[in-house]
Amino acid sequence: DDTWQHLEAGFDRCAQEAGLDKKEVRACVESGEGKEQLSMSYAIALAEGIDGAPVVFIDGRQYVGPMERESLLAHLCYAAGSEDTRPDLCDGISAPPSVAVALLTDTRCAAMADCQVDREVAFLQTLLPGMAFATLDFGTAEGRALYDRIVAAGGPTTLPIVHFNAAVADHASAVAILEEYLVAFEDGYLLPLGRHFDPTKEICDNGVDDDGNGGIDCADASCEGRPVCRTEEKNRIDLFMMSQCPFSAMMVPAADHVVAHLRANGAPDARFRFQFIGREEDGAFTSLHGDAEVAEDLRMACVQELYGADHAFLPYFLCRAKDLSSEDWASCLSGKMKQKAIEKCATGEQGHKLLSASFTMAQQTGIQASPSLFLNNRFEAEGRTPAAILQAFCEKNESPACAVPVRPLLIDRATDIPQKCE
């Protein structure tokens, strides 16, 4: 450590002090074995998403507490295992303060992606080695009582929710890490983990009248527009996006490429449309990237509507994807596109209706991350490169185009980034 700026010059002395065989170490370096081991280490870091140092993993989980001796030792001694397996060193280390943590969830949503929070719970176990963890089900009296208190206090209405008791205040570093996500509740905090599952509403595919209003599954008005209740439309592809999301922009060329492939190889009925993600309240639109994104959403919705025949709108989307922040949208018009017609639509009632319908579709389907692929008006799918999009399409549709490999794009590696705007 004291000669890290002069590794080559300091190696011999450090090896001698550490009692290492210098010849063996040099042989490892010169033979290429060291380079191979280093490459493997880089690959592990990349796979874990680590791009900074220092980062500590304990028992396979990333340690996120203070980088101090006492904190690290407390974590090693008390994060897991019983007292009889702890080394003698732990006898002089104080146990971290205990905190009661309850996960309020619902067994009815166990199979839903939004309710699968094992990763988040594992993170909390790493963050709070002294936590006493319990799971509460909404279907029990205790779980329902906690939920009713949360809602009465103006808290989140969707599950799962984590409840921390007042003792969490003794874990200042953990509170600081979670601070922007925590909601004050009674003498502790709530950590909302779910965004879509309201346990008081109808579940649209379980054959039960969950909300007791006489409507079962798709016959219940609250299930309107949900994927399971939508009419399947073969050969339809929708790409949900935010117009200023860089990850969506990277996917636009891939989507255009797949559309061209389908129509050129025996799938002339393939229909592709962009949908937009945002919110509408009292007639006003909001979106993640602000007013400029809403304005571009409106223009894109209008371009798509006015020039939808033969997917003539795609060149505009491709052009805008190259420079999301540019205000010079008019330079991306081509063919029969008219600036005045687009402006009239985007600033008028027609554009408002188009974007409102698109936002509503996103909310009904539960799609809030950009980009997201939706097939046949019913199925959410994964895939960003042309090959992945085509594969997803062909899993739901029969087409001669599925037997023809799609030509890769030069940007495929960049496109295949799993990040999303949400």
Side-chain angles (χ1 to χ4, degrees), residues 41-63:
S41 183
Y42 288 164
I44 291 170
L46 181 63
E48 293 287 353
I50 297 170
D51 57 4
V55 176
V56 175
F57 274 70
I58 300 175
D59 291 336
R61 294 175 179 166
Q62 185 175 344
Y63 170 77

Side-chain angles (χ1 to χ4, degrees), residues 1-20 22 26:
D1 273 350
D2 60 347
T3 58
W4 65 269
Q5 291 176 310
H6 306 284
L7 294 179
E8 185 63 31
F11 167 73
D12 287 343
R13 179 175 64 82
C14 290
Q16 183 175 351
E17 290 181 7
L20 304 181
K22 295 184 289 185
R26 287 195 180 279

Side-chain angles (χ1 to χ4, degrees), residues 264-391:
N265 291 280
D269 295 331
R271 290 164 294 135
F272 176 81
R273 287 293 184 271
F274 290 97
Q275 303 294 343
F276 302 93
I277 299 171
R279 294 196 174 277
E280 180 180 8
E281 294 183 9
D282 299 326
F285 296 128
T286 57
S287 192
L288 180 65
H289 301 98
D291 292 342
E293 182 165 73
V294 170
E296 183 60 21
D297 287 350
L298 286 163
R299 286 190 292 266
M300 284 184 165
C302 287
V303 169
Q304 183 168 250
E305 176 70 12
L306 297 173
Y307 309 103
D310 295 324
H311 298 89
F313 58 86
L314 280 169
Y316 178 81
F317 283 75
L318 288 166
C319 177
R320 292 297 282 157
K322 295 176 182 177
D323 189 356
L324 299 176
S325 60
S326 173
E327 297 181 0
D328 184 19
W329 62 271
S331 65
C332 286
L333 302 181
S334 61
K336 297 181 180 180
M337 297 179 185
K338 304 296 183 184
Q339 182 174 347
K340 288 186 177 180
I342 295 168
E343 288 175 336
K344 180 180 178 180
C345 171
T347 58
E349 183 179 356
Q350 184 181 17
H352 191 283
K353 287 183 177 179
L354 291 171
L355 192 58
S356 178
S358 197
F359 280 6
T360 298
M361 183 179 177
Q363 290 165 8
Q364 288 179 337
T365 56
I367 295 175
Q368 298 300 316
S370 169
S372 291
L373 197 62
F374 198 64
L375 298 174
N376 293 8
N377 195 42
R378 190 169 184 181
F379 307 103
E380 192 168 0
E382 295 297 328
R384 299 201 181 192
T385 64
I389 297 171
L390 181 64
Q391 179 181 345

Side-chain angles (χ1 to χ4, degrees), residues 226-244:
R226 301 289 180 86
V228 70
C229 298
R230 301 179 75 88
T231 302
E232 184 173 2
E233 298 179 17
K234 290 290 187 180
N235 299 311
R236 174 173 170 175
I237 306 173
D238 290 278
L239 178 59
F240 286 82
M241 67 179 296
M242 299 174 187
S243 61
Q244 294 194 350

Side-chain angles (χ1 to χ4, degrees), residues 196-213:
H196 305 303
F197 184 79
D198 185 333
T200 66
K201 298 291 180 65
E202 184 75 9
I203 298 174
C204 303
D205 60 354
N206 67 347
V208 177
D209 182 10
D210 299 284
D211 55 10
N213 67 356

Side-chain angles (χ1 to χ4, degrees), residues 127-146:
L127 194 62
L128 299 165
M131 82 175 187
F133 182 76
T135 300
L136 293 178
D137 184 68
F138 174 82
T140 66
E142 185 180 5
R144 181 60 193 254
L146 175 59

